[in-house]
Amino acid sequence: QVQLQESGPGLVKPSGTLSLTCAVSGGSISSSNWWNWVRQPPGKGLEWIGEIYHSGSTNYNPSLKSRVTISIDKSKNQFSLKLNSVTAADTAVYYCARDAVRYWFDPWGQGTLVTVSS
Amino acid sequence: QSALTQPASVSGSPGQSITISCTGTSSDVGGYTYVSWYQQYPGKAPKVLIYDVTKRPSGVSNRFSGSKSGNTASLTISGLQAEDEADYYCCSYAGSSIVVFGGGTKLTVL
């Protein structure tokens, strides 16, 4: 079955760029699914960041759109998240997830904690 | 888009049934049949319980059920068990290719 695994730096400096990658195994990233990023600040709820299709089409949360870029690398079967101009408010566990059919997420990666601090 | 509104906490005794509400607007919950529910244990990734308002993925217990009335969706857990103690999140399509989550509800099994 499809599995997702996030990777990337766990510490990012304020005003810097957060960069994460989600590796997809057990299936093709070129399947008829959208691939998503969701984050969760410590002790708080889930926030949808955005999604990408294998064609390169993207959709973003309007509240983050000006700072977010999601890209896809079909040769490596992975997709990535870049969030620029980060502040402490961007400290969160970042999850990647597959949109299973449309607008529900399964499976999820295990999540990776990114802390924004100097 | 504002987060969907969920009660911060609910509780129930083993064997009882509980319902968690998720209130949105006609632009999200009320306007589409794309409501999903997730269960999350501390330190773990969310797991889908319900999608398309009422459907259960394969492998999810039939003790979990979903419904919707107007702008409010609900998750009902029947025959409450100790293992159901977790956080629960609703999620809805909000139009324009945007998704919004609820604030989350902590379920305590007494």
Side-chain angles (χ1 to χ4, degrees):
Chain A
Q1 71 278 25
V2 173
Q3 293 183 314
L4 288 73
Q5 177 69 58
E6 306 90 348
S7 62
L11 181 64
V12 180
K13 291 187 180 340
S15 78
T17 297
L18 179 159
S19 296
L20 295 174
T21 295
C22 180
V24 178
S25 60
S28 173
I29 204 165
S30 295
S31 60
S32 300
N33 299 101
W34 288 75
W35 304 91
N36 289 253
W37 288 99
V38 177
R39 71 179 182 179
Q40 184 172 36
K44 296 187 178 180
L46 301 168
E47 181 181 32
W48 180 73
I49 298 172
E51 63 179 1
I52 190 165
Y53 197 62
H54 62 74
S55 63
S57 295
T58 54
N59 295 301
Y60 298 128
N61 185 325
S63 68
L64 298 169
K65 187 173 184 177
S66 64
R67 299 193 293 128
V68 172
T69 301
I70 297 176
S71 59
I72 196 164
D73 186 336
K74 289 182 282 187
S75 67
K76 294 183 178 179
N77 221 39
Q78 64 186 34
F79 62 107
S80 299
L81 169 70
K82 288 189 185 299
L83 180 66
N84 56 37
S85 303
V86 297
T87 68
D90 295 309
T91 293
V93 174
Y94 286 76
Y95 295 99
C96 57
R98 183 186 67 173
D99 186 324
V101 174
R102 210 54 186 117
Y103 310 121
W104 59 283
F105 306 113
D106 181 65
W108 296 62
Q110 66 183 27
T112 186
L113 174 63
V114 179
T115 302
V116 179
S117 175
S118 55
Chain B
Q1 292 293 330
S2 300
L4 306 174
T5 301
Q6 298 180 231
S9 63
V10 298
S11 62
S13 299
Q16 288 185 330
S17 293
I18 65 95
T19 296
I20 299 172
S21 62
C22 170
T23 301
T25 70
S26 59
S27 296
D28 38 60
V29 174
Y32 307 94
T33 57
Y34 295 126
V35 175
S36 53
W37 288 90
Y38 302 85
Q39 177 189 58
Q40 186 182 36
Y41 293 111
K44 300 296 185 182
K47 170 194 169 186
V48 64
L49 298 174
I50 297 290
Y51 67 96
D52 292 355
V53 179
T54 62
K55 298 176 182 177
R56 268 189 318 274
S58 174
V60 173
S61 172
N62 59 10
R63 296 188 301 107
F64 296 94
S65 61
S67 62
K68 189 183 81 165
S69 177
N71 296 335
T72 298
S74 299
L75 172 72
T76 297
I77 308 174
S78 58
L80 205 58
Q81 300 178 359
E83 67 197 51
D84 298 331
E85 187 162 294
D87 294 327
Y88 293 84
Y89 293 90
C90 62
C91 179
S92 175
Y93 179 61
S96 302
S97 300
I98 293 167
V99 166
V100 62
F101 282 94
T105 298
K106 180 177 180 59
L107 169 62
T108 300
V109 180
L110 302 171

